[in-house]
Amino acid sequence: MKYVLLFVETEEFARDLEAMDEAAREAAFEAVGRWFAEHSAVITHHAHLRPAETATTVRLGGGDALVTDGPFVEGKEVVSGYAEIEVADLDEALAVAKSWPACPIVEIRPLT
């Protein structure tokens, strides 16, 4: 089965990352790199997203589309990246997600 893992940053996580000294931040990024290497057999694609403030949102319905700069909602959580994986089942997807070393939330969605 194919799933997408959505990596979700919280405001607290972003603050903690920003407060780290350079060595700690580098170690955190290296842990993410190791995670991708360790799971390379099941990861079919992945990307890091630019910050939410770089988003453009299109709201549809009721006439003309409304285009605005920035994220679609003000929130304390934002998707910062994703990985597409191909695994046997949800249990295996959960095992991969539980080993994620960075953002404190990973949403798992099946792909069609």
Side-chain angles (χ1 to χ4, degrees):
M1 290 200 60
K2 292 183 178 184
Y3 294 91
V4 65
L5 307 180
L6 301 169
F7 305 123
V8 182
E9 282 187 15
T10 61
E11 287 180 340
E12 181 180 0
F13 176 83
R15 278 192 307 269
D16 291 348
L17 189 61
E18 190 174 314
M20 289 179 182
D21 63 30
E22 189 61 32
R25 192 172 15 264
E26 186 62 33
F29 290 140
E30 287 174 3
V32 169
R34 281 191 305 277
W35 183 89
F36 278 106
E38 291 167 4
H39 295 92
S40 63
V42 298
I43 296 172
T44 59
H45 183 75
H46 65 89
H48 185 262
L49 302 175
R50 299 235 182 234
E53 59 269 11
T54 66
T56 300
T57 300
V58 179
R59 294 181 192 276
L60 305 172
D64 293 337
L66 175 63
V67 179
T68 58
D69 291 335
F72 62 95
V73 294
E74 290 295 322
K76 297 181 183 289
E77 299 174 351
V78 63
V79 175
S80 61
Y82 66 93
E84 294 176 15
I85 61 172
E86 190 164 353
V87 294
D89 54 27
L90 180 58
D91 289 336
E92 191 175 343
L94 285 165
V96 172
K98 287 177 181 179
S99 67
W100 175 245
C103 309
I105 300 169
V106 179
E107 182 177 325
I108 303 170
R109 290 197 197 177
L111 294 174
T112 57

